[in-house]
Amino acid sequence: MSKSYPIPQHILRDLAEVEKELAKIALSTDGVLAEISLATLKAGGKRLRPALVLISGMVGDYDLGRFMPAAVASELIHMASLIHDDILDDAGTRRGAPTVNSIWGERIAVAAGDFLFATAFEILSRLEMRSVEIMVNAALDLSLGEFDQMVTAYVVDQSIEDYIQKAKRKTAALFAACCQVGSHLSGASAGDIAALTSYGENLGIAFQIYDDVLDIAGGKATGKEIGVDIRDGTITVPIIYALEELGYDSRFAAIISKQRPDDKDVKEAIRLINECGAISRTRETARSYVDKAIDSLKAIPKISAVEVFRGIGEFVIDRYH
Ligand code: FPP
Ligand code: MG
């Protein structure tokens, strides 16, 4: 399993600059907010979204100064959304570290997420209108996707199409926006921007599907608890496939639709999913979206960027976290 994604040296250097900007933001605050911002930064993360902004910028005229606000804002929106997501999931750990809600409590965590989210928009306001529009729409989609997921929790008769619609909003919209904004800011052609946006969307769907695999079969290396989706009633791809295999009137379906499953129920559901072949089928589905993502790039002339995008595609469906 790969722990990182392949990336050219010059992008790595520029990502270090993005990291410095993020640290500056954290250090511009004080007290508890500074502690939380620094802890969130230190907890790490793959910085996949800023990387997508920069790599997409390779397709046209590369200029870090122009991409920087979008790259920084993409990570801030992501960080804010994870802080809020951990509150909603009542999650105790992420990336092997205690979550903000588990250390400082939910009320403080809401306010800290709001700060990072608002800062993202302050930074975006340095860009021209089209870029702001791309990123604002992605943030809107994120909140709608999360909302959709909450109101359809524990409902077992959901199709793959229902799931994909939510994944597009919750996860893929920000991936797509990063690719779109990076290529737009580089002055790429309309065709190249559309191809990259499609790459980002399909990559994001694959990412979310693989995330669902990690929730069931990830083990300790993910740094977060497993079975959270079952506990929260989130109907993911492995759960949909297991329902198809085991039946909508099975013991499995009864656990999945139960509002407060206990630890024994969650363990049993995980065992049933693992035993019925749903995980390998889910991996295949994730792979099909990576293939679709890479296929979107066939007309992109900049071969070096396409190679990096291909590597990122392989990484998102073969990672620990
Ligand atoms: C993680 O998914 C969460 C998201 C991809 C989006 C969360 C969005 C919100 C909470 C609403 C938007 C909020 C802001 C501030 C824009 P997951 O729960 O499937 O993954 P996990 O296992 O990593 O928690
Ligand atoms: Mg979550």
Side-chain angles (χ1 to χ4, degrees):
M1 235 189 243
S2 24
K3 288 191 189 121
S4 188
Y5 47 93
I7 197 153
Q9 276 303 320
H10 73 101
I11 299 284
L12 218 51
R13 272 197 303 275
D14 288 350
L15 279 174
E17 295 302 314
V18 173
E19 204 62 28
K20 281 186 202 159
E21 289 300 313
L22 290 168
K24 264 192 220 162
I25 293 162
L27 292 167
S28 71
T29 60
D30 50 26
V32 177
L33 191 52
E35 267 180 64
I36 295 175
S37 308
L38 284 171
T40 305
L41 261 188
K42 251 186 60 200
K46 302 172 283 295
R47 307 296 188 249
L48 196 47
R49 292 152 189 85
L52 287 175
V53 174
L54 301 189
I55 299 159
S56 301
M58 286 169 68
V59 173
D61 293 327
Y62 189 90
D63 177 352
L64 176 64
R66 222 181 314 147
F67 309 145
M68 184 63 93
V72 171
S74 70
E75 191 63 20
L76 290 172
I77 293 171
H78 174 56
M79 283 175 172
S81 74
L82 289 187
I83 291 176
H84 284 182
D85 184 64
D86 286 336
I87 301 167
L88 297 170
D89 287 352
D90 195 19
T93 55
R94 177 176 291 279
R95 298 166 185 151
T99 54
V100 176
N101 49 303
S102 74
I103 303 180
W104 288 277
E106 289 186 358
R107 289 159 59 94
I108 291 280
V110 170
D114 288 347
F115 162 75
L116 294 175
F117 193 43
T119 303
F121 287 102
E122 188 269 319
I123 290 171
L124 282 175
S125 70
R126 297 170 200 167
L127 291 169
E128 55 23 287
M129 213 48 215
R130 178 67 189 131
S131 298
V132 179
E133 190 181 29
I134 292 168
M135 298 303 285
V136 170
N137 281 331
L140 184 59
D141 269 339
L142 236 70
S143 63
L144 289 173
E146 185 78 5
F147 197 84
D148 269 2
Q149 178 178 295
M150 286 176 73
V151 298
T152 55
Y154 305 103
V155 176
V156 290
D157 63 338
Q158 294 187 56
S159 64
I160 287 288
E161 290 71 31
D162 296 330
Y163 169 91
I164 298 293
Q165 205 208 332
K166 278 179 271 203
K168 271 187 185 169
R169 284 177 156 173
K170 189 179 87 163
T171 307
L174 188 54
F175 277 70
C178 289
C179 294
Q180 190 176 9
V181 84
S183 50
H184 160 74
L185 286 166
S186 78
S189 70
D192 286 357
I193 297 172
L196 278 164
T197 309
S198 166
Y199 168 85
E201 178 167 275
N202 287 299
L203 183 80
I205 295 170
F207 183 95
Q208 186 57 50
I209 295 174
Y210 193 75
D211 216 62
D212 302 344
V213 169
L214 292 178
D215 187 71
I216 307 292
K220 270 204 156 49
T222 64
K224 50 189 181 187
E225 300 117 281
I226 62 165
V228 173
D229 291 333
I230 298 167
R231 206 187 59 207
D232 290 352
T234 305
I235 309 299
T236 63
V237 178
I239 294 173
I240 294 173
Y241 287 160
L243 283 163
E244 282 176 13
E245 292 297 326
L246 302 168
Y248 290 83
D249 53 3
S250 60
R251 160 84 186 133
F252 178 71
I255 299 174
I256 294 303
S257 55
K258 199 168 167 182
Q259 298 275 342
R260 279 186 224 294
D262 59 26
D263 289 351
K264 228 174 101 243
D265 292 329
V266 173
K267 241 174 143 177
E268 187 182 351
I270 290 176
R271 180 179 60 76
L272 289 167
I273 295 171
N274 278 315
E275 282 174 5
C276 76
I279 292 294
S280 55
R281 213 176 138 198
T282 306
R283 285 183 196 273
E284 280 166 27
T285 305
R287 150 70 47 201
S288 74
Y289 278 96
V290 166
D291 290 346
K292 218 166 149 183
I294 295 169
D295 204 48
S296 313
L297 303 177
K298 54 179 186 280
I300 299 276
K302 187 84 184 226
I303 303 294
S304 54
V306 172
E307 279 315 304
V308 181
F309 283 130
R310 192 185 297 278
I312 292 179
E314 296 305 325
F315 165 76
V316 300
I317 53 166
D318 188 17
R319 61 193 160 92
Y320 295 133
H321 48 74

